[in-house]
Amino acid sequence: MIRTRRAPLAAAIGITTVVLLAGCAPGSGQRTGPTETEEITEPVTVEQVAELGDVTLRVWADAGEESMLDALVEQYEDTYDNVTVDVTIKGWDDLMGTVVNAMNGDNAPDVTNGNQGFAIMGTMVKGGMLRPIDDVIAAYGIDEGLPESGFDSMRWNDDGTQWGSGNIYGMGGATQPLGLFYNRAKLEELGLGVPDSIGEVEEALATAKAGGETPIQLGNSDQYPLGSHVLGILINMYADPAEVNEWIAGGADASFDSPGIRAALEKLAEWGEKGYFAAGYDGRSLDDAVSAYGEGDGVFFLGGSFNGSKLAAVDPDAFGYTLLRAESGEYVTTGTFGTPWHISSKSTIQPAAIAFLGMMLSPEFAQTYADSSRLPVADLEGVTATGSMHQSQLDAAQALFADGEFVGYLDWATPTMQRTLGAGAQELLGGRMSVDEFVESVQSDWSDYQTERTG
Amino acid sequence: MTTAPAVRAMAGRGARRARSGRPGRARSRHYLYLVPGFVLYAVFTLTPLAQTIQYSFYDWDGITEATWAGFDNYVAVVTDPVSRSTFGHSIMFIFFYTVLPTVIGLLIVAVMNRVRIRFLTVFRTVLFLPQILATVVIAVAWRWIFAQDGPINATLELLGLGALSRAWLGDFTTALPAVGLIGTWIMYGLCMVLFIGGVQKIPVELYEAARIDGAGPIREFFSVTLPGLRGEISIALVLTVTNALRNFDIVWNTTSGGPGTSTLVPSYLIYEGAFVTREVGFAAAASVVLTALILVITGAITRLLRVGADR
């Protein structure tokens, strides 16, 4: 006779045995396959969408897109009145944690935000979850006037194991280059001009420190953005962009151990030692740091242009933004066409999804992005800025699109890179890790993943 | 579904036995009432548990077909230095989540027992508040308390101890204890409420007898209160140890495991493996190890305190 106390254990063992004996490895079950993709050569017409009948277009998006989507959905539903748009908004971490599984499920959203790199976009391409959108880009002329290199991070081989060439699987609406924010009033007080190169930044930092100001505002309690964005900007200054991109993309001979990257790490550690970063930055969140910077604590802030929306909301003219010239003399920065939008390969209402992206990425819609101090890819020159800070961001983005160099985000390199860089940078500045050890830990994370990826 | 026929057979057996007039065996039929609950339990607890055990033997990204990995994931959990350190941090958290709150709870009860406190209910409610607050709210509040420009450092400055001020959650030496103290603050209210309830069940005669025998407050505490609270202490230990070992939300919302990896805990690695880095097999193996650890420690606690009671 089974004793009651043992019953749950026995049942668990029983179920485990049954599952194991069934012999099916996880992930081997049948799922809804991709629907037939009809390539388009012309923009989708209202009639084509109307033929779908009354349908619901399901959209998953990052919280940063909410205000843009509010405007877009209204305009879209007016134009395509047989479609109801159902938007699900998620915070970034939440979205990144769930989007792949959602897109893999039988009830996948038709349109979604994702992220570049192996962990999200690579997995989705590998699983055949995304509809290639080369035809959409061409039919709508979305690539007109844009630098071809910006599409690199959106292109994947068919297996989803290598990016940089192949079909385009996603496209962003607003570019988000990393750059240098400055507080106009403080620069004036300190008698400084707007720095344009890394050398000028260094001089300004020394002056700011001597003048009793916080040289760089930073909030890194999430182990971000010190090891990713701040280090990224420094790497852009000292390392060869092509080499860095090659490394991020997992090129066979690439290495993190280069003189340029070492110079960047030495510089980061030096800035830490000199006390250029706001005191207690590891105990402060990024949001709190941006708020503090908005309230006037700190001369500079290093980070993504997307932080500008919050600063512009405080005061549209108090701050400025610039890219920096690397040692090569060119503007080099980490950036892309922004957080990518994807169309599900399983969507049964692809014309409606295509029309949605077409409208979102059109020059006519660009001003809506600009109204919340964002940098629309579609019409950087034509939109009206919300103030002088936004204007300086638009100018910077234009300069970058015209003849600057895009570098990928370092954390695209491997799924674990964000932690390796984030934790490593804290240890480097805490004096618990040398530059050698940092380079070694990053490169070993990278090598492990390349072995796994290429099998 | 293998369980349903088994249950039916059991129920049938019970019915026959009842008819054959052996009253003791009629209890079998009572299991029938457990079926709805058991089905829920099986679907939402046992099946995921079994699946987790299954996944832990595979190398799987959560999407494409998995490959058999044998015990590789378990080897990784045990040998990877970062993974090992997370279990070390968890053990440290037991001190902050379990030992400190239990001691504080007992102290409060000992004091309350000797001194008549007015507005006891009010105090009890206030001290229990941390238990019912959302942990995100708690984490945000404590992040501010521990911040460079927060009240702790302001107090230190006032006392002329400005040299000691730091970002408590961002410092390699203080981050782990700082996160732990948040746990202490959350847990001691629970311990206290459990112990107060327990003390009220101890017969007053025992205290009277102790006092007549000339026991002082300390003797009284160790001879009457402490033994009388054995059951409550056992419950408090099990609950707080479980919380210490599965700690995730407080770390997630205060340090993200940093600085470096100094506050990283197993649950954090499990979450990352399952949802961020897509190493589902490793995450599953770590979950199994963590579950086993919790079972072993809480099992040991209940056994130890029960054996004590038999003596």
Side-chain angles (χ1 to χ4, degrees), chain A residues 4 15-16 19-20 24-28 97 100-101 104 119 129 221-223 279-280 282 415-416 419 423 426-427 432, chain B residues 31 46 50 54-55 58 60 63 65-66 143 148-149 167 170 172 252 254-256 258-261 264 268 272 275 277-278:
Chain A
T4 357
I15 293 173
T16 311
V19 173
L20 285 174
C24 41
S28 61
V100 176
N101 292 71
N104 190 43
M129 301 169 211
S221 66
D222 298 333
Q223 302 200 313
D282 272 338
T416 42
R419 151 155 331 282
Q426 286 180 322
E427 302 204 9
R432 300 193 163 221
Chain B
Y31 286 120
L46 297 178
Q54 186 205 6
Y55 294 166
Y58 284 90
W60 190 34
I63 303 293
E65 192 163 340
R143 221 166 54 198
Q148 183 74 40
D149 46 7
F172 280 89
W252 173 264
T254 52
T255 63
S256 294
T261 54
L264 212 54
Y268 203 103
E272 267 197 347
F275 297 108
T277 62
R278 319 206 72 81

Side-chain angles (χ1 to χ4, degrees), chain A residues 126-138:
Chain A
K126 193 195 272 180
M129 301 169 211
L130 304 182
R131 179 198 191 279
I133 57 168
D134 303 72
D135 57 333
V136 179
I137 303 274

Side-chain angles (χ1 to χ4, degrees), chain A residues 26 99 249 346 432 448:
Chain A
V99 67
K346 295 169 190 167
R432 300 193 163 221
D448 287 351

Side-chain angles (χ1 to χ4, degrees), chain B residues 197-218:
Chain B
V199 158
Q200 284 164 353
K201 285 190 307 197
I202 300 176
V204 187
E205 294 79 19
L206 285 180
Y207 285 102
E208 282 168 359
R211 283 175 205 181
I212 289 166
D213 288 345
I218 294 172

Side-chain angles (χ1 to χ4, degrees), chain A residues 24-37:
Chain A
C24 41
S28 61
Q30 280 293 314
R31 290 195 193 275
T32 314
T35 54
E36 198 77 2
T37 298

